[in-house]
């Protein structure tokens, strides 16, 4: 592990409340989305729905114009790893769709992403989504005061190894709150920081996983793609630390020990009743 132990800026309890309100709004939409996703829906349809929802909650989408991104949300389909742009191309059975929403209000921000499956899915793609959730959960479980940022990388990698999937170390998580991307950087490789996790840490945890080793490629328009149309999955959650516990702000503001082992829509695709 890296010996890098930089100090980063933490958040006050009042700041975490503000970030948590936005995170909870975004998280509730991402939990709702599987109930309406279907064949024939498009990325532009989702974007319109997101914008209506965010306006109704008094927050605004923040991606458009950020680092020259052209749309209000990101929608990445199949071989698109991340930074996909929503289009009018209809989704089809078996598609894997990643929806990334960045929202803000009064100088505070949140950033979350979920991966979904459209219609009838291949078993391997359902497994990929389940594994991505579990790898993220493994990192979330150790995101607490007194541990180190590198412990998140170790936990994610250990879970990935157990599940037989691969973490794309080229992509990182990050702090969030008063800007969309802040320190600390949350790496998932041997370069992960050994900085202690402090009370008031707010980070986006987002390990991207694949079923085999892949080398990401960046297209001229900024999207990251896989070779040979290989699929990836990722879940991005916002976690805040307190002196004696941590909370997943992007999932019903729950404490980390109450974070589920898989979301209901994956359980339904697996045919699992109790999960």
């Amino acid at each position: 592990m890296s010996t890098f132990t930089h100090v980063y800026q933490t958040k006050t309890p009042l700041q975490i409340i503000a970030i948590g309100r936005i995170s909870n709004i975004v998280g509730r939409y991402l939990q709702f989305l599987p109930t309406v996703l279907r064949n024939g829906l498009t990325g532009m349809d989702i974007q319109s729905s997101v914008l209506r929802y965010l306006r109704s909650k008094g927050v605004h989408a923040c991606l458009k114009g950020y680092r020259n991104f052209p749309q209000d949300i990101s929608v990445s389909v199949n071989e698109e790893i991340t930074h996909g742009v929503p289009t009018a191309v209809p989704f089809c059975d078996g598609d894997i769709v990643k929806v990334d929403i960045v929202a803000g209000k009064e100088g505070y921000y949140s950033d979350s992403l979920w991966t979904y499956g459209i219609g009838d899915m291949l078993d391997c793609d359902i497994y990929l989504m389940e594994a991505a959730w579990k790898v993220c959960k493994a990192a979330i479980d150790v995101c607490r005061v007194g541990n180190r940022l590198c412990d998140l990388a170790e936990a994610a990698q250990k879970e990935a190894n157990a599940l037989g999937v691969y973490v794309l170390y080229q992509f990182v998580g990050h702090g969030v709150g008063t800007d969309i991307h802040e320190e600390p950087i949350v790496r998932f490789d041997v370069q992960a920081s050994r900085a202690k996790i402090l009370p008031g840490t707010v980070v986006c945890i987002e390990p991207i996983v694949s079923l085999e080793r892949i080398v990401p490629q960046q297209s001229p328009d900024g999207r990251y793609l896989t070779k040979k149309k290989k699929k990836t999955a990722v879940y991005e959650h916002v976690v805040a630390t307190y002196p004696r516990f941590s909370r997943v702000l992007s999932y019903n503001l729950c404490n980390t020990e109450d974070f589920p082992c898989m979301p209901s829509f994956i359980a339904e695709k697996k045919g699992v009743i109790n999960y």
Side-chain angles (χ1 to χ4, degrees), residues 14-26 53-63 101-111 176-180 182:
L14 287 178
Q15 287 178 314
I16 293 176
I17 289 172
I19 299 164
R21 286 172 179 160
I22 304 167
S23 300
N24 192 39
I25 288 169
V26 172
Y53 171 79
L54 294 180
R55 282 195 296 266
S56 75
K57 299 298 182 181
V59 301
H60 59 277
C62 299
L63 267 185
I101 302 174
V102 180
K105 181 178 182 179
E106 297 175 350
Y108 293 101
Y109 301 91
S110 186
D111 179 9
V176 71
T178 54
D179 203 348
I180 297 171
E182 302 177 346

Side-chain angles (χ1 to χ4, degrees), residues 190-212:
V190 294
Q191 296 300 315
S193 170
R194 290 186 57 79
K196 283 285 188 72
I197 299 174
L198 306 172
T201 299
V202 181
V203 289
C204 293
I205 297 176
E206 48 180 319
I208 302 176
V209 305
S210 62
L211 294 177
E212 57 186 80

